[in-house]
Amino acid sequence: MSTLQPVRGTDDILPDVKRAHRRVEEEARAVAARYGYAEVATPILEFTEVFARTLGDTSDIVTKEMYTFVDRGGDSLTLRPENTAGVARAFISNGLHHDLPLKVFYSGPMFRREHSQLGRRRQFHQVGVELLGVAEPLADVEVIAMAAGLIDALGLADRVVCEINTLGDGASRDAYRETLVAYLSAPEVKGRLSPDSLERLDRNPLRILDSKDDRDREVVAAAPQMGDSLNAESRDYFDAVLAGLEAAGVAFRRNPHLVRGLDYYCHTAFEFTTDALGAQGTVLAGGRYDGLIAQMGGPATPGTGWAAGIERLAMLIAPPPAPRPIAVVPVGADQAMDALVWTQRLRHAGFAVDLGFSGNLKKRLKRANKINACAAVLLGEDELARGQARVRDLDSGDQTDVALDGLEAHLARYNVDDHG
Ligand code: ATP
Ligand code: MG
C-alpha cells in the first residue's frame, strides 16, 4: 500500500545513515564557527513570493520543483527549496542591515519536486553559509576557503575539486547573453539543441550552459565563453578572487562553462564536484548574489555564500561507527534494582550504558554482544556483598573484580565523550 511507504523522494534516515549526516553537519558547523559564522534557522515554510520573486520565474525550481499550497487562511505557502532566499527575507524582516557584515550558517531540510534518484531527493538536507554586506572579492575567497575547509575536514580533499567561474556584472552578462544567443540561434546549432534548451533560448539562454543533456553539452563545448565578454571591472574582480584563493592555499580549477541555476547570481560562481557520484556529482555550490536583497525589496546589500548537499557528502565518507555502550548485567533477578541504580549512576557520570529489560544472564550477555558493547558490568550477589562488580572486557574476554567505589575510574578507559 502506497500509504505505508514514505512519499517518493523522501527517506527514513536510519541510524547508520543518520550518523553520517550528523558528521557532515557537525564538521560544517565546526568549520563555520572557526570562521565566525553564527548559526541561524529560518522557517521551512515561507510565503511563495519569497522564492518566486527571487529565484527567477524561469528557474527550474520555480517553474516545476516547488511544493506550493494554499493554506486555510488563503495564503500561498511553499516548503523552502533552498535557504538563501529565506536568510535574505529574514535579513530584511529583522532589519539586520545595521549590523554588517552578517555571517550566518544554517542546516536543515529543503524540498524540491525533482525526478528522484540516488543523491537527488525531494526532501534533502543542506548545510550552508551566507555572508551579507561585503562587496569585496575577499568575501568570496572567505566562503570558498570555508567550503574547502569542510571538504578537507571530511577527508575528501583528494576526491572533490573546486570549480570556479565568473558570471561578471550585469553589463558583462548582458553582452555575453547576446553573443551566446547569436551563436545558439544559427540554424545548424539550434537544430542540435534539446527541446528544453530550445525553450531556454528565449527565456533564459545562460541556463543552457548548465544543461545535463548530452546534445546540449556538445553544443556548449564549442560556444563562445563568458570570459571574452567580461568588462574590465568584472575581470579585475575575478582576478582578485583567484589571487585570494591562491594566497589562501585553496586549490581550484577554472571552468568557463560553469553557471548557477538561479537568476540572482553575479560574478563568482563555484561548485565542488566529484566523479564518485555519477550525475549527482556536485556536492556543494554557491556564488555571489549582489542583487538579491534589493530584488526582495530590502536595502541594496551584496551577498555571497554556498550550500552543500548533506546526502551527497554523507555518501562519500566512511560511515562513522556506532558508539559502543557499556552493558550493565544483573547476574540474577535479585540484582535487578542494583543494576538499575548502577546504570543510572554511570549514565549520570557520562557513560553510554545499556540495561536490558529482561532475560537471564546468558540472554543479557548475548544482547551485550549484539549491541557491540565494549564491556559488561556484572552485578552478582557475592560480588555486591563484597562491594564489588565484575567487569568483563567484551573484546578480550578478560574479567576483573573492581571495587564499586572505583567503578567509574575503572570504566573510564571505555568512555568515549562523543556518544555520537
Ligand atoms: P544540481 O545541479 O545537482 O541539480 P543544484 O544546482 O540544483 O544542483 P543547488 O541549488 O546549488 O543545487 O544546491 C546546492 C547543493 O545541494 C547541490 O550541490 C547538491 O549537493 C544539493 N542538492 C540540490 N538539490 C538536491 C536534491 N534534490 N537532492 C539532494 N541534494 C541536492
Ligand atoms: Mg537542481
Side-chain angles (χ1 to χ4, degrees), residues 9 60-61 65 81-83 106 110-127 210 212 259-262 264-265 270-273 277 279-286 306-313 315:
D60 285 351
I61 289 182
E65 295 176 359
E82 54 96 54
N83 212 353
Y106 62 79
M110 309 293 158
F111 303 83
R112 299 183 194 178
R113 198 173 192 290
E114 306 220 50
H115 176 63
S116 68
Q117 49 195 298
L118 192 71
R120 189 174 294 286
R121 315 301 296 152
R122 291 180 171 184
Q123 175 176 338
F124 63 102
H125 300 79
Q126 289 183 331
V127 287
D210 196 26
K212 280 152 190 119
V259 293
R260 302 285 307 120
L262 303 176
Y264 53 58
Y265 286 105
F270 55 92
E271 291 188 349
F272 284 66
T273 61
L277 295 175
Q280 274 58 253
T282 305
V283 293
L284 181 154
W306 51 258
I310 293 180
E311 280 80 359
R312 294 186 194 179
L313 285 170
M315 282 190 280

Short mmCIF file of all heavy atoms in Angstrom, two decimals, residues 9 60-61 65 81-83 106 110-127 210 212 259-262 264-265 270-273 277 279-286 306-313 315, ligand 1:
data_model
loop_
_atom_site.label_atom_id
_atom_site.label_comp_id
_atom_site.label_asym_id
_atom_site.label_seq_id
_atom_site.Cartn_x
_atom_site.Cartn_y
_atom_site.Cartn_z
N GLY A 9 10.80 10.03 -3.07
CA GLY A 9 11.86 11.04 -2.99
C GLY A 9 12.16 11.50 -1.58
O GLY A 9 13.02 12.36 -1.38
N ASP A 60 14.34 26.36 -12.89
CA ASP A 60 13.70 25.06 -12.77
C ASP A 60 12.93 24.96 -11.46
O ASP A 60 11.84 24.42 -11.40
CB ASP A 60 14.74 23.93 -12.80
CG ASP A 60 15.27 23.70 -14.20
OD1 ASP A 60 14.71 24.30 -15.15
OD2 ASP A 60 16.25 22.95 -14.35
N ILE A 61 13.55 25.49 -10.42
CA ILE A 61 12.92 25.37 -9.10
C ILE A 61 11.54 26.00 -9.12
O ILE A 61 10.55 25.39 -8.72
CB ILE A 61 13.80 26.03 -8.01
CG1 ILE A 61 15.05 25.20 -7.77
CG2 ILE A 61 13.01 26.19 -6.72
CD1 ILE A 61 15.96 25.73 -6.67
N GLU A 65 9.56 22.76 -9.56
CA GLU A 65 10.00 21.94 -8.43
C GLU A 65 9.45 22.33 -7.07
O GLU A 65 9.66 21.62 -6.09
CB GLU A 65 11.54 21.95 -8.36
CG GLU A 65 12.19 21.27 -9.57
CD GLU A 65 13.72 21.35 -9.56
OE1 GLU A 65 14.29 21.96 -8.63
OE2 GLU A 65 14.33 20.81 -10.50
N PRO A 81 12.75 25.48 -1.01
CA PRO A 81 13.58 24.64 -1.88
C PRO A 81 15.07 24.89 -1.63
O PRO A 81 15.92 24.10 -2.07
CB PRO A 81 13.20 25.07 -3.29
CG PRO A 81 12.74 26.49 -3.14
CD PRO A 81 12.18 26.63 -1.75
N GLU A 82 15.39 25.98 -0.96
CA GLU A 82 16.77 26.34 -0.64
C GLU A 82 16.69 27.39 0.46
O GLU A 82 15.59 27.83 0.80
CB GLU A 82 17.51 26.86 -1.89
CG GLU A 82 16.80 28.00 -2.61
CD GLU A 82 17.33 29.35 -2.19
OE1 GLU A 82 18.54 29.56 -2.28
OE2 GLU A 82 16.52 30.19 -1.77
N ASN A 83 17.81 27.80 1.02
CA ASN A 83 17.74 28.66 2.21
C ASN A 83 18.27 30.07 2.02
O ASN A 83 18.16 30.90 2.92
CB ASN A 83 18.45 27.99 3.38
CG ASN A 83 17.82 28.34 4.73
OD1 ASN A 83 16.92 29.18 4.82
ND2 ASN A 83 18.27 27.71 5.78
N TYR A 106 23.65 27.72 8.38
CA TYR A 106 22.38 27.05 8.62
C TYR A 106 22.48 25.58 8.23
O TYR A 106 23.40 25.17 7.50
CB TYR A 106 21.24 27.71 7.83
CG TYR A 106 21.44 27.65 6.33
CD1 TYR A 106 21.15 26.49 5.61
CD2 TYR A 106 21.95 28.74 5.63
CE1 TYR A 106 21.37 26.42 4.25
CE2 TYR A 106 22.17 28.68 4.26
CZ TYR A 106 21.87 27.51 3.58
OH TYR A 106 22.11 27.42 2.24
N MET A 110 15.35 20.72 2.87
CA MET A 110 14.88 21.51 1.73
C MET A 110 13.99 20.59 0.89
O MET A 110 14.13 19.35 0.97
CB MET A 110 16.05 21.99 0.86
CG MET A 110 17.17 22.67 1.62
SD MET A 110 16.67 24.25 2.34
CE MET A 110 17.92 24.40 3.63
N PHE A 111 13.14 21.17 0.07
CA PHE A 111 12.16 20.37 -0.66
C PHE A 111 12.08 20.79 -2.13
O PHE A 111 11.87 21.97 -2.42
CB PHE A 111 10.78 20.54 -0.01
CG PHE A 111 10.78 20.17 1.45
CD1 PHE A 111 11.21 21.08 2.42
CD2 PHE A 111 10.41 18.90 1.85
CE1 PHE A 111 11.25 20.72 3.76
CE2 PHE A 111 10.44 18.53 3.19
CZ PHE A 111 10.86 19.45 4.14
N ARG A 112 12.28 19.83 -3.00
CA ARG A 112 12.12 20.11 -4.43
C ARG A 112 11.48 18.91 -5.09
O ARG A 112 11.92 17.78 -4.87
CB ARG A 112 13.48 20.37 -5.10
CG ARG A 112 14.22 21.55 -4.52
CD ARG A 112 15.53 21.79 -5.26
NE ARG A 112 16.36 22.70 -4.50
CZ ARG A 112 17.59 23.08 -4.85
NH1 ARG A 112 18.12 22.61 -5.97
NH2 ARG A 112 18.28 23.92 -4.11
N ARG A 113 10.49 19.15 -5.93
CA ARG A 113 9.83 18.03 -6.58
C ARG A 113 10.62 17.64 -7.82
O ARG A 113 10.27 17.97 -8.94
CB ARG A 113 8.38 18.36 -6.92
CG ARG A 113 7.58 17.10 -7.19
CD ARG A 113 6.11 17.37 -7.38
NE ARG A 113 5.34 16.14 -7.34
CZ ARG A 113 5.35 15.20 -8.29
NH1 ARG A 113 6.10 15.37 -9.37
NH2 ARG A 113 4.63 14.11 -8.18
N GLU A 114 11.72 16.93 -7.58
CA GLU A 114 12.63 16.53 -8.65
C GLU A 114 12.33 15.10 -9.07
O GLU A 114 11.63 14.36 -8.39
CB GLU A 114 14.06 16.58 -8.13
CG GLU A 114 14.45 17.91 -7.53
CD GLU A 114 15.85 18.31 -7.91
OE1 GLU A 114 16.15 18.26 -9.12
OE2 GLU A 114 16.61 18.67 -7.02
N HIS A 115 12.95 14.72 -10.17
CA HIS A 115 12.93 13.32 -10.59
C HIS A 115 13.83 12.60 -9.59
O HIS A 115 15.04 12.79 -9.60
CB HIS A 115 13.48 13.24 -12.01
CG HIS A 115 13.59 11.84 -12.51
ND1 HIS A 115 12.49 11.02 -12.67
CD2 HIS A 115 14.67 11.11 -12.86
CE1 HIS A 115 12.90 9.85 -13.12
NE2 HIS A 115 14.21 9.87 -13.23
N SER A 116 13.25 11.78 -8.71
CA SER A 116 14.07 11.29 -7.60
C SER A 116 14.98 10.15 -8.03
O SER A 116 14.61 9.29 -8.83
CB SER A 116 13.19 10.90 -6.40
OG SER A 116 12.43 9.77 -6.72
N GLN A 117 16.17 10.16 -7.53
CA GLN A 117 17.17 9.12 -7.77
C GLN A 117 18.20 9.25 -6.66
O GLN A 117 18.07 10.12 -5.80
CB GLN A 117 17.82 9.31 -9.15
CG GLN A 117 18.28 10.73 -9.41
CD GLN A 117 18.57 10.99 -10.88
OE1 GLN A 117 19.44 10.37 -11.45
NE2 GLN A 117 17.84 11.92 -11.48
N LEU A 118 19.18 8.36 -6.66
CA LEU A 118 20.20 8.41 -5.64
C LEU A 118 20.88 9.78 -5.67
O LEU A 118 21.34 10.23 -6.70
CB LEU A 118 21.24 7.31 -5.90
CG LEU A 118 22.23 7.04 -4.76
CD1 LEU A 118 21.54 6.36 -3.60
CD2 LEU A 118 23.39 6.20 -5.26
N GLY A 119 20.92 10.46 -4.52
CA GLY A 119 21.58 11.76 -4.48
C GLY A 119 20.73 12.90 -5.02
O GLY A 119 21.19 14.03 -5.12
N ARG A 120 19.50 12.60 -5.40
CA ARG A 120 18.60 13.65 -5.85
C ARG A 120 17.24 13.33 -5.25
O ARG A 120 16.51 12.49 -5.75
CB ARG A 120 18.53 13.72 -7.38
CG ARG A 120 17.78 14.94 -7.90
CD ARG A 120 17.85 15.06 -9.41
NE ARG A 120 19.20 15.32 -9.90
CZ ARG A 120 19.81 16.49 -9.79
NH1 ARG A 120 19.21 17.52 -9.26
NH2 ARG A 120 21.03 16.63 -10.26
N ARG A 121 16.93 13.94 -4.14
CA ARG A 121 15.76 13.60 -3.36
C ARG A 121 14.78 14.76 -3.37
O ARG A 121 15.13 15.89 -3.69
CB ARG A 121 16.17 13.27 -1.91
CG ARG A 121 17.38 12.36 -1.78
CD ARG A 121 17.19 11.03 -2.46
NE ARG A 121 16.12 10.26 -1.86
CZ ARG A 121 15.40 9.36 -2.55
NH1 ARG A 121 15.63 9.15 -3.84
NH2 ARG A 121 14.45 8.68 -1.96
N ARG A 122 13.55 14.46 -2.98
CA ARG A 122 12.53 15.51 -2.91
C ARG A 122 12.57 16.22 -1.55
O ARG A 122 12.31 17.40 -1.47
CB ARG A 122 11.16 14.92 -3.21
CG ARG A 122 11.10 14.52 -4.69
CD ARG A 122 9.77 13.92 -5.08
NE ARG A 122 9.74 13.77 -6.53
CZ ARG A 122 8.68 13.35 -7.20
NH1 ARG A 122 7.56 13.03 -6.56
NH2 ARG A 122 8.72 13.25 -8.51
N GLN A 123 12.86 15.48 -0.51
CA GLN A 123 13.30 16.13 0.73
C GLN A 123 14.76 15.80 0.88
O GLN A 123 15.13 14.61 0.92
CB GLN A 123 12.53 15.63 1.97
CG GLN A 123 13.12 16.25 3.24
CD GLN A 123 12.38 15.91 4.52
OE1 GLN A 123 11.21 15.54 4.49
NE2 GLN A 123 13.05 16.05 5.64
N PHE A 124 15.59 16.81 0.94
CA PHE A 124 17.01 16.59 1.15
C PHE A 124 17.49 17.60 2.18
O PHE A 124 16.70 18.39 2.69
CB PHE A 124 17.79 16.66 -0.17
CG PHE A 124 17.72 18.01 -0.85
CD1 PHE A 124 18.80 18.90 -0.76
CD2 PHE A 124 16.60 18.40 -1.54
CE1 PHE A 124 18.74 20.15 -1.38
CE2 PHE A 124 16.53 19.66 -2.17
CZ PHE A 124 17.61 20.52 -2.07
N HIS A 125 18.78 17.55 2.49
CA HIS A 125 19.27 18.40 3.58
C HIS A 125 20.51 19.16 3.15
O HIS A 125 21.35 18.62 2.42
CB HIS A 125 19.55 17.54 4.82
CG HIS A 125 18.30 16.83 5.29
ND1 HIS A 125 17.85 15.69 4.67
CD2 HIS A 125 17.41 17.14 6.25
CE1 HIS A 125 16.71 15.31 5.25
NE2 HIS A 125 16.42 16.17 6.21
N GLN A 126 20.57 20.38 3.58
CA GLN A 126 21.74 21.20 3.23
C GLN A 126 22.35 21.82 4.48
O GLN A 126 21.63 22.16 5.42
CB GLN A 126 21.35 22.35 2.29
CG GLN A 126 20.99 21.91 0.87
CD GLN A 126 20.69 23.09 -0.04
OE1 GLN A 126 20.23 24.14 0.44
NE2 GLN A 126 20.92 22.92 -1.32
N VAL A 127 23.66 22.00 4.43
CA VAL A 127 24.32 22.97 5.30
C VAL A 127 24.75 24.10 4.39
O VAL A 127 25.02 23.87 3.20
CB VAL A 127 25.55 22.39 6.03
CG1 VAL A 127 25.14 21.44 7.14
CG2 VAL A 127 26.49 21.69 5.04
N ASP A 210 24.30 25.10 -18.45
CA ASP A 210 24.21 24.24 -17.27
C ASP A 210 23.47 22.94 -17.59
O ASP A 210 23.28 22.10 -16.73
CB ASP A 210 23.44 25.02 -16.19
CG ASP A 210 23.60 24.42 -14.81
OD1 ASP A 210 24.63 23.76 -14.59
OD2 ASP A 210 22.71 24.63 -13.97
N LYS A 212 22.26 19.29 -18.57
CA LYS A 212 22.89 17.99 -18.38
C LYS A 212 22.64 17.07 -19.57
O LYS A 212 23.09 15.94 -19.60
CB LYS A 212 22.39 17.37 -17.08
CG LYS A 212 23.14 17.99 -15.91
CD LYS A 212 22.46 18.05 -14.59
CE LYS A 212 23.28 18.92 -13.66
NZ LYS A 212 22.60 20.10 -13.18
N VAL A 259 27.80 27.73 -14.75
CA VAL A 259 26.85 28.80 -14.42
C VAL A 259 26.02 28.27 -13.26
O VAL A 259 26.00 27.07 -12.98
CB VAL A 259 25.91 29.17 -15.58
CG1 VAL A 259 26.68 29.81 -16.71
CG2 VAL A 259 25.13 27.95 -16.07
N ARG A 260 25.31 29.13 -12.58
CA ARG A 260 24.47 28.67 -11.49
C ARG A 260 23.02 28.69 -11.95
O ARG A 260 22.62 29.54 -12.72
CB ARG A 260 24.66 29.55 -10.25
CG ARG A 260 26.09 29.60 -9.75
CD ARG A 260 26.52 28.32 -9.03
NE ARG A 260 25.59 27.98 -7.99
CZ ARG A 260 24.89 26.83 -7.95
NH1 ARG A 260 25.05 25.93 -8.88
NH2 ARG A 260 24.05 26.60 -6.98
N GLY A 261 22.24 27.75 -11.43
CA GLY A 261 20.87 27.60 -11.90
C GLY A 261 19.89 28.68 -11.48
O GLY A 261 18.76 28.68 -11.92
N LEU A 262 20.29 29.59 -10.63
CA LEU A 262 19.34 30.59 -10.15
C LEU A 262 19.69 31.97 -10.68
O LEU A 262 20.85 32.27 -10.94
CB LEU A 262 19.32 30.61 -8.62
CG LEU A 262 19.00 29.26 -7.98
CD1 LEU A 262 19.08 29.34 -6.47
CD2 LEU A 262 17.62 28.77 -8.42
N TYR A 264 19.68 34.94 -9.37
CA TYR A 264 20.20 36.05 -8.59
C TYR A 264 21.72 36.11 -8.50
O TYR A 264 22.27 36.94 -7.80
CB TYR A 264 19.56 36.10 -7.20
CG TYR A 264 19.58 34.85 -6.34
CD1 TYR A 264 20.78 34.21 -6.00
CD2 TYR A 264 18.39 34.33 -5.83
CE1 TYR A 264 20.78 33.10 -5.19
CE2 TYR A 264 18.39 33.20 -5.01
CZ TYR A 264 19.59 32.60 -4.69
OH TYR A 264 19.59 31.51 -3.88
N TYR A 265 22.41 35.24 -9.20
CA TYR A 265 23.87 35.22 -9.09
C TYR A 265 24.58 36.21 -10.03
O TYR A 265 24.09 36.52 -11.10
CB TYR A 265 24.40 33.82 -9.36
CG TYR A 265 24.14 32.87 -8.22
CD1 TYR A 265 23.14 31.91 -8.29
CD2 TYR A 265 24.88 32.96 -7.05
CE1 TYR A 265 22.90 31.05 -7.24
CE2 TYR A 265 24.64 32.11 -5.99
CZ TYR A 265 23.65 31.16 -6.09
OH TYR A 265 23.41 30.31 -5.04
N PHE A 270 30.77 29.00 -8.12
CA PHE A 270 31.66 27.86 -7.88
C PHE A 270 30.87 26.62 -7.50
O PHE A 270 29.74 26.70 -7.01
CB PHE A 270 32.69 28.18 -6.78
CG PHE A 270 32.08 28.65 -5.48
CD1 PHE A 270 31.78 27.75 -4.48
CD2 PHE A 270 31.81 29.99 -5.27
CE1 PHE A 270 31.21 28.17 -3.27
CE2 PHE A 270 31.23 30.42 -4.07
CZ PHE A 270 30.93 29.52 -3.08
N GLU A 271 31.47 25.50 -7.77
CA GLU A 271 30.89 24.21 -7.40
C GLU A 271 32.02 23.30 -6.96
O GLU A 271 33.08 23.28 -7.57
CB GLU A 271 30.17 23.56 -8.59
CG GLU A 271 28.93 24.28 -9.01
CD GLU A 271 28.12 23.52 -10.06
OE1 GLU A 271 28.66 22.53 -10.62
OE2 GLU A 271 26.98 23.91 -10.31
N PHE A 272 31.77 22.53 -5.94
CA PHE A 272 32.70 21.47 -5.54
C PHE A 272 32.13 20.16 -6.07
O PHE A 272 31.00 19.81 -5.73
CB PHE A 272 32.87 21.44 -4.02
CG PHE A 272 33.74 22.56 -3.48
CD1 PHE A 272 33.34 23.89 -3.56
CD2 PHE A 272 34.97 22.28 -2.91
CE1 PHE A 272 34.14 24.91 -3.08
CE2 PHE A 272 35.79 23.29 -2.42
CZ PHE A 272 35.37 24.62 -2.51
N THR A 273 32.89 19.51 -6.92
CA THR A 273 32.35 18.33 -7.60
C THR A 273 33.24 17.10 -7.40
O THR A 273 34.43 17.22 -7.10
CB THR A 273 32.23 18.59 -9.11
OG1 THR A 273 33.53 18.87 -9.64
CG2 THR A 273 31.31 19.76 -9.41
N LEU A 277 29.99 10.17 -7.72
CA LEU A 277 28.55 10.06 -7.50
C LEU A 277 27.75 10.11 -8.80
O LEU A 277 26.57 10.46 -8.79
CB LEU A 277 28.06 11.18 -6.56
CG LEU A 277 28.57 11.16 -5.12
CD1 LEU A 277 28.11 12.40 -4.37
CD2 LEU A 277 28.10 9.91 -4.39
N ALA A 279 25.95 11.23 -12.00
CA ALA A 279 25.43 12.52 -12.47
C ALA A 279 25.18 13.49 -11.32
O ALA A 279 25.03 14.69 -11.54
CB ALA A 279 24.13 12.30 -13.26
N GLN A 280 25.11 12.97 -10.09
CA GLN A 280 24.85 13.85 -8.94
C GLN A 280 26.17 14.25 -8.29
O GLN A 280 26.35 14.15 -7.09
CB GLN A 280 23.93 13.15 -7.93
CG GLN A 280 22.46 13.30 -8.23
CD GLN A 280 22.06 12.79 -9.59
OE1 GLN A 280 21.77 13.56 -10.49
NE2 GLN A 280 22.07 11.48 -9.75
N GLY A 281 27.11 14.72 -9.12
CA GLY A 281 28.47 14.93 -8.66
C GLY A 281 28.74 16.26 -7.98
O GLY A 281 29.84 16.47 -7.47
N THR A 282 27.77 17.16 -7.96
CA THR A 282 28.01 18.45 -7.29
C THR A 282 27.62 18.31 -5.82
O THR A 282 26.46 18.08 -5.51
CB THR A 282 27.19 19.56 -7.95
OG1 THR A 282 27.50 19.59 -9.34
CG2 THR A 282 27.53 20.91 -7.34
N VAL A 283 28.61 18.45 -4.96
CA VAL A 283 28.31 18.28 -3.53
C VAL A 283 28.09 19.61 -2.82
O VAL A 283 27.50 19.65 -1.75
CB VAL A 283 29.43 17.49 -2.80
CG1 VAL A 283 29.45 16.05 -3.30
CG2 VAL A 283 30.79 18.14 -2.98
N LEU A 284 28.56 20.69 -3.44
CA LEU A 284 28.47 22.00 -2.79
C LEU A 284 28.48 23.04 -3.89
O LEU A 284 29.22 22.90 -4.86
CB LEU A 284 29.66 22.16 -1.84
CG LEU A 284 29.82 23.43 -1.01
CD1 LEU A 284 30.61 23.13 0.25
CD2 LEU A 284 30.47 24.57 -1.78
N ALA A 285 27.66 24.05 -3.76
CA ALA A 285 27.61 25.05 -4.83
C ALA A 285 27.26 26.40 -4.25
O ALA A 285 26.54 26.52 -3.26
CB ALA A 285 26.57 24.65 -5.87
N GLY A 286 27.79 27.44 -4.91
CA GLY A 286 27.48 28.78 -4.39
C GLY A 286 27.95 29.86 -5.32
O GLY A 286 28.38 29.61 -6.45
N TRP A 306 27.24 29.72 0.02
CA TRP A 306 27.11 28.42 -0.62
C TRP A 306 26.20 27.50 0.17
O TRP A 306 25.87 27.79 1.32
CB TRP A 306 28.47 27.73 -0.82
CG TRP A 306 29.37 27.63 0.38
CD1 TRP A 306 30.46 28.42 0.64
CD2 TRP A 306 29.30 26.69 1.48
NE1 TRP A 306 31.07 28.02 1.82
CE2 TRP A 306 30.37 26.96 2.35
CE3 TRP A 306 28.45 25.65 1.81
CZ2 TRP A 306 30.62 26.24 3.54
CZ3 TRP A 306 28.67 24.92 2.99
CH2 TRP A 306 29.76 25.22 3.83
N ALA A 307 25.80 26.42 -0.48
CA ALA A 307 25.05 25.36 0.20
C ALA A 307 25.63 24.02 -0.24
O ALA A 307 26.05 23.87 -1.39
CB ALA A 307 23.57 25.43 -0.17
N ALA A 308 25.68 23.09 0.68
CA ALA A 308 26.19 21.76 0.37
C ALA A 308 25.11 20.73 0.65
O ALA A 308 24.33 20.87 1.58
CB ALA A 308 27.42 21.45 1.22
N GLY A 309 25.06 19.70 -0.19
CA GLY A 309 24.09 18.64 -0.01
C GLY A 309 24.59 17.62 1.00
O GLY A 309 25.60 16.96 0.78
N ILE A 310 23.88 17.51 2.12
CA ILE A 310 24.31 16.58 3.18
C ILE A 310 24.28 15.14 2.69
O ILE A 310 25.21 14.37 2.92
CB ILE A 310 23.45 16.77 4.45
CG1 ILE A 310 23.72 18.15 5.06
CG2 ILE A 310 23.73 15.66 5.47
CD1 ILE A 310 22.93 18.44 6.32
N GLU A 311 23.21 14.75 1.95
CA GLU A 311 23.12 13.37 1.47
C GLU A 311 24.34 13.02 0.61
O GLU A 311 24.92 11.95 0.75
CB GLU A 311 21.85 13.17 0.64
CG GLU A 311 20.58 12.96 1.45
CD GLU A 311 19.99 14.26 2.00
OE1 GLU A 311 20.59 15.34 1.76
OE2 GLU A 311 18.95 14.20 2.68
N ARG A 312 24.67 13.93 -0.31
CA ARG A 312 25.77 13.61 -1.24
C ARG A 312 27.11 13.53 -0.51
O ARG A 312 27.91 12.63 -0.78
CB ARG A 312 25.81 14.67 -2.35
CG ARG A 312 24.57 14.58 -3.23
CD ARG A 312 24.65 15.50 -4.43
NE ARG A 312 23.33 15.63 -5.05
CZ ARG A 312 23.07 16.38 -6.10
NH1 ARG A 312 24.04 17.08 -6.67
NH2 ARG A 312 21.85 16.44 -6.59
N LEU A 313 27.36 14.45 0.42
CA LEU A 313 28.62 14.38 1.16
C LEU A 313 28.64 13.13 2.04
O LEU A 313 29.66 12.46 2.15
CB LEU A 313 28.80 15.64 2.02
CG LEU A 313 29.20 16.89 1.23
CD1 LEU A 313 29.11 18.14 2.11
CD2 LEU A 313 30.60 16.75 0.65
N MET A 315 27.36 10.31 1.48
CA MET A 315 27.63 9.10 0.69
C MET A 315 29.13 8.93 0.42
O MET A 315 29.58 7.84 0.09
CB MET A 315 26.88 9.15 -0.64
CG MET A 315 25.41 8.81 -0.49
SD MET A 315 24.62 8.60 -2.11
CE MET A 315 24.36 10.29 -2.58
P1 ATP B 1 22.04 20.03 -9.32
O1 ATP B 1 22.81 20.67 -10.43
O2 ATP B 1 22.66 18.73 -8.86
O3 ATP B 1 20.58 19.92 -9.59
P2 ATP B 1 21.53 22.45 -7.96
O4 ATP B 1 22.27 23.44 -8.75
O5 ATP B 1 20.06 22.33 -8.16
O6 ATP B 1 22.19 21.01 -8.10
P3 ATP B 1 21.85 23.92 -5.53
O7 ATP B 1 20.51 24.54 -5.57
O8 ATP B 1 23.01 24.76 -5.84
O9 ATP B 1 21.87 22.61 -6.43
O10 ATP B 1 22.06 23.22 -4.11
C1 ATP B 1 23.35 23.04 -3.52
C2 ATP B 1 23.65 21.59 -3.28
O11 ATP B 1 22.55 20.94 -2.66
C3 ATP B 1 23.88 20.78 -4.54
O12 ATP B 1 25.18 20.93 -4.98
C4 ATP B 1 23.61 19.38 -4.05
O13 ATP B 1 24.73 18.86 -3.37
C5 ATP B 1 22.49 19.59 -3.10
N1 ATP B 1 21.21 19.31 -3.73
C6 ATP B 1 20.47 20.11 -4.54
N2 ATP B 1 19.33 19.52 -4.92
C7 ATP B 1 19.33 18.30 -4.32
C8 ATP B 1 18.41 17.21 -4.29
N3 ATP B 1 17.25 17.25 -4.93
N4 ATP B 1 18.74 16.11 -3.56
C9 ATP B 1 19.89 16.04 -2.89
N5 ATP B 1 20.80 17.04 -2.86
C10 ATP B 1 20.53 18.16 -3.57
#
